[in-house]
Amino acid sequence: GAGVSQTPSNKVTEKGKYVELRCDPISGHTALYWYRQSLGQGPEFLIYFQGTGAADDSGLPNDRFFAVRPEGSVSTLKIQRTERGDSAVYLCASSLRLAGPYEQYFGPGTRLTVT
Amino acid sequence: QKEVEQDPGPLSVPEGAIVSLNCTYSNSAFQYFMWYRQYSRKGPELLMYTYSSGNKEDGRFTAQVDKSSKYISLFIRDSQPSDSATYLCAISGGSNYKLTFGKGTLLTVNP
């Protein structure tokens, strides 16, 4: 079946601009996660949704970052006033509600470059 | 001290070699230990996971966890050029959903 999809695959934006990154989880997966992977680093947790609500947003670096999942399926990660330090690959993962931590399925990521 | 430490390499081996990849962690509350493989410009894919201590084998791959020394390992036997990728260790504890990753080790298997 279809895996997690993310769009766009690449995004180049200028410093100070606003960007939106989209994640389509695997059908039926109620849990959704965002991670950020900087160059040469492992993914870092940003936020976790169970259904429509953000159950844990402790990984969001500051208030320029915000994520929504209004209908419990597709999620959008929004970054305001982008900075060069935001350049990274943004990964989305999804899982079933009572899945173990090893059952997160990752998408291919969106590579964000802030110039 | 970071929660998970992993030597980023790079590691280059000839085809057929045994590869050993390792991570250390600091929080004894972690219970799940995972290894992911990540090809260039792709998302991580789960290779193996272990709950608590012990060994787990799957084909050419063996995962080991030593909770007393907070040390996890992945062994790859008879390595193949198709194993060339970045290998990430990840751990999870009480929250059971938040994965904490190591930096990843870039492995190249030369034919």
Side-chain angles (χ1 to χ4, degrees):
Chain A
V4 177
S5 62
Q6 294 186 245
T7 54
S9 55
N10 285 282
K11 175 72 177 176
V12 180
T13 191
E14 292 179 349
K15 179 175 176 294
K17 299 288 189 185
Y18 168 83
V19 296
E20 289 189 352
L21 313 178
R22 177 187 167 108
C23 172
D24 277 270
I26 293 171
S27 178
H29 281 192
T30 58
L32 185 145
Y33 318 79
W34 284 98
Y35 292 82
R36 178 169 72 172
Q37 187 173 21
S38 300
L39 189 64
Q41 304 294 317
E44 291 181 303
F45 171 82
L46 294 177
I47 187 169
Y48 156 58
F49 286 91
Q50 186 58 262
T52 59
D56 183 350
D57 65 358
S58 62
L60 294 178
N62 51 61
D63 61 6
R64 295 186 298 105
F65 289 75
F66 189 71
V68 296
R69 195 183 184 202
E71 297 176 359
S73 179
V74 170
S75 176
T76 305
L77 179 65
K78 308 178 182 209
I79 311 174
Q80 298 178 318
R81 304 184 304 280
T82 51
E83 300 177 357
R84 292 195 180 89
D86 299 335
S87 296
V89 175
Y90 289 82
L91 294 163
C92 176
S94 71
S95 71
L96 293 169
R97 176 179 171 81
L98 297 178
Y102 47 86
E103 292 176 294
Q104 295 182 27
Y105 295 89
F106 285 84
T110 293
R111 184 174 298 271
L112 175 67
T113 303
V114 182
T115 62
Chain B
Q1 182 186 11
K2 295 199 77 172
E3 285 191 300
V4 184
E5 300 275 5
Q6 182 176 10
D7 185 344
L11 186 60
S12 181
V13 301
E15 183 175 354
I18 297 174
V19 176
S20 172
L21 304 166
N22 311 288
C23 291
T24 59
Y25 64 95
S26 58
N27 189 338
S28 57
F30 291 125
Q31 294 286 348
Y32 288 94
F33 305 91
M34 282 72 67
W35 285 96
Y36 288 82
R37 179 173 60 196
Q38 186 174 28
Y39 292 114
S40 181
R41 296 189 175 261
K42 301 288 187 185
E45 57 173 334
L46 180 70
L47 272 178
M48 299 182 70
Y49 79 92
T50 310
Y51 177 72
S52 195
S53 278
N55 293 359
K56 192 170 187 178
E57 189 172 320
D58 183 2
R60 296 185 294 111
F61 298 88
T62 299
Q64 288 185 352
V65 176
D66 182 346
K67 293 194 77 177
S68 62
S69 55
K70 299 190 183 67
Y71 194 82
I72 61 175
S73 303
L74 178 71
F75 298 95
I76 308 174
R77 289 183 300 280
D78 187 26
S79 55
Q80 302 295 308
S82 58
D83 295 330
S84 299
T86 296
Y87 289 79
L88 297 154
C89 62
I91 53 180
S92 181
S95 69
N96 241 26
Y97 57 81
K98 186 185 299 186
L99 300 179
T100 301
F101 285 87
K103 280 189 175 184
T105 299
L106 178 60
L107 171 67
T108 302
V109 181
N110 301 298

